[in-house]
Amino acid sequence: MVRHLYDEYGDPLMKFLTRLTSERQHAEDLLQETMLRAWRHSDSLPEGWESRRRWLFTVARRLAIDAARFRRKRPSEVGALDLTRMPADRDEAEAVVAKHTVRGALPRLSEAHRTVLVALFHQGLSRAELAAALDVPEGTIKSRTHYALRALRDLVESQ
């Protein structure tokens, strides 16, 4: 039933909806919704080619009007936000306290753990660069970093 309606009226409806909306994709959506309504009301569709045509075009026009009203009612979208101009949402006082706490705990770490953390997080060296500087495998740097961070966390939590 709907396939027959689409074959018979689809092209004229698509042209009509494209003229109303000026957007092909939006017109396709409205055509699909029109055919869905025809399927839902298939038991009450009028008889005769011209009567069905009028019914389908009326439904399509009403759907286009409703969609246009919805678009006007909906607030306009804003452009992308420039996140570089957004204020920092973290508390600066909290950052100062965290730095102070870490600086107080660093001297209590072992020399190997302290060296790894300072080189990676303060000096900005990569694991490969630090491994070459200390003449140890990169895997050793990974495990030292893991255990150093664990020890640092335990020291900070115990304060």
Side-chain angles (χ1 to χ4, degrees), residues 140-155:
T140 302
I141 299 299
K142 284 183 180 181
S143 64
R144 281 186 192 171
T145 304
H146 172 77
Y147 290 112
L149 288 172
R150 182 188 286 174
L152 182 63
R153 184 190 67 218
D154 291 344
L155 287 172

Side-chain angles (χ1 to χ4, degrees), residues 27 31 69 80 98-99 140:
L31 176 61
R69 285 180 181 156
K99 283 181 185 179
T140 302

Side-chain angles (χ1 to χ4, degrees), residues 107-134:
R108 296 186 310 194
L109 289 174
S110 70
E111 181 65 30
H113 287 168
R114 186 173 48 251
T115 302
V116 167
L117 291 181
V118 169
L120 291 176
F121 297 106
H122 182 66
Q123 296 171 349
L125 295 178
S126 69
R127 285 190 302 242
E129 292 170 334
L130 183 56
L134 296 177

Side-chain angles (χ1 to χ4, degrees), residues 27-53:
E28 288 172 352
D29 292 342
L30 292 173
L31 176 61
Q32 182 178 5
E33 182 63 28
T34 302
M35 290 299 157
L36 182 63
R37 298 263 173 104
W39 175 70
R40 286 183 182 156
H41 295 63
S42 60
D43 56 338
S44 62
L45 282 176
E47 293 296 324
W49 188 86
E50 187 59 36
S51 297
R52 281 190 179 169
R53 184 178 190 282

Side-chain angles (χ1 to χ4, degrees), residues 25-107:
Q25 186 175 7
H26 188 56
E28 288 172 352
D29 292 342
L30 292 173
L31 176 61
Q32 182 178 5
E33 182 63 28
T34 302
M35 290 299 157
L36 182 63
R37 298 263 173 104
W39 175 70
R40 286 183 182 156
H41 295 63
S42 60
D43 56 338
S44 62
L45 282 176
E47 293 296 324
W49 188 86
E50 187 59 36
S51 297
R52 281 190 179 169
R53 184 178 190 282
R54 267 190 254 122
W55 188 90
L56 288 169
F57 274 80
T58 301
V59 168
R61 183 176 53 81
R62 288 179 179 164
L63 287 170
I65 291 169
D66 290 346
R69 285 180 181 156
F70 178 76
R71 282 186 172 186
R72 269 184 277 161
K73 182 177 163 184
R74 187 173 155 203
S76 61
E77 296 178 10
V78 295
L81 294 175
D82 182 10
L83 296 179
T84 59
R85 306 184 117 227
M86 297 292 289
D89 58 334
R90 70 180 196 146
D91 185 11
E92 291 301 321
E94 186 177 321
V96 170
V97 170
K99 283 181 185 179
H100 180 70
T101 305
V102 169
R103 282 188 182 145
L106 272 176

